[in-house]
Amino acid sequence: MQAASEHVRHYGYQKTTVADIAKTIQLSPAYLYHFFDSKQAIGEAVCTLMLEDLIKNLANMLAQIDSPGDCIMFIISNIATASTSMFLEDRKMHDLIALSFREKWASTERYRSDLLKIVREVVIRGREIGEFERNTPLDETCEAIHYTMEPFYYPILVQQNPRELPEEAVAVAKLVRRSLIL
């Protein structure tokens, strides 16, 4: 997967072929097809690795933050920073992620689900310790927070205004936090 990821980063997904990846790792394309049914399957595996890495890094950093309100702030601002960084510094990978979102690959659906799960855990913790309000149904709260995050990770939206995105994310994060706090 490392070779496929590097090839996509260098040449872009559209210009990458299964034969190119096979050649890079010194295998035949036929042998590579034993592991992946298509170029899309390889692209999806590359997306999965990248998005899982983003989720793991986010979870590790959140584990070091005590306040659920601060966690909400961090989640939203971190996602914006990571998305902006990918768009500005790793455009070909951003383009692959954008394709995966457009075509609703399983890797991006899993990423969205993982983000929602993280938000849910933070909201539950905030409610348990009395930092967050409890009147709004949990699912409604978590889904609303998740909707506010979409402009900061959805690739097509990120590319509209990448330079201001981190600052905008902080403003939205502050608003979300204020809406949760008792």
Side-chain angles (χ1 to χ4, degrees), residues 76-77 80-81 83-85 87-88 151-152 157-172:
I76 296 171
S77 62
T81 301
S83 297
T84 300
S85 176
F87 176 72
L88 295 173
F152 306 115
L157 299 174
V158 169
Q159 66 192 45
Q160 300 302 314
N161 199 16
R163 301 226 184 266
E164 287 81 23
L165 202 66
E167 185 178 316
E168 293 168 356
V170 170
V172 169

Side-chain angles (χ1 to χ4, degrees), residues 27-181:
L27 296 174
S28 72
Y31 188 72
L32 200 53
Y33 277 116
H34 285 292
F35 302 100
F36 300 98
D37 355 348
S38 64
K39 176 182 166 182
Q40 179 180 324
I42 295 170
E44 190 157 350
V46 170
C47 282
T48 296
L49 289 175
M50 176 172 251
L51 296 173
E52 284 178 351
D53 193 43
L54 290 173
I55 290 292
K56 285 177 194 169
N57 289 338
L58 181 62
N60 288 338
M61 290 184 266
L62 287 173
Q64 300 172 32
I65 302 172
D66 292 328
S67 164
D70 290 346
C71 285
I72 291 294
M73 293 279 300
F74 184 80
I75 291 167
I76 296 171
S77 62
N78 178 271
I79 285 170
T81 301
S83 297
T84 300
S85 176
M86 184 186 307
F87 176 72
L88 295 173
E89 299 166 18
D90 199 355
R91 181 62 69 89
K92 290 184 172 107
M93 194 57 76
H94 170 86
D95 292 345
L96 173 60
I97 299 291
L99 175 68
S100 73
F101 269 83
R102 268 193 318 276
E103 294 186 0
K104 297 185 187 304
W105 290 357
S107 54
T108 55
E109 295 303 308
R110 207 168 24 257
Y111 176 71
R112 296 182 73 205
S113 174
D114 289 346
L115 283 176
L116 183 58
K117 180 181 174 194
I118 287 172
V119 166
R120 183 180 192 83
E121 290 168 359
V122 171
V123 170
I124 289 171
R125 188 163 50 105
R127 287 179 170 191
E128 286 173 351
I129 66 171
E131 187 175 335
F132 292 166
E133 63 87 17
R134 293 183 174 135
N135 295 330
T136 311
L138 180 63
D139 288 342
E140 182 181 323
T141 300
C142 296
E143 288 171 12
I145 293 168
H146 187 250
Y147 294 142
T148 67
M149 293 167 38
E150 282 187 349
F152 306 115
Y153 71 79
Y154 202 86
I156 302 303
L157 299 174
V158 169
Q159 66 192 45
Q160 300 302 314
N161 199 16
R163 301 226 184 266
E164 287 81 23
L165 202 66
E167 185 178 316
E168 293 168 356
V170 170
V172 169
K174 287 178 180 179
L175 178 66
V176 170
R177 183 165 99 179
R178 279 193 306 273
S179 73
L180 293 169
I181 294 182

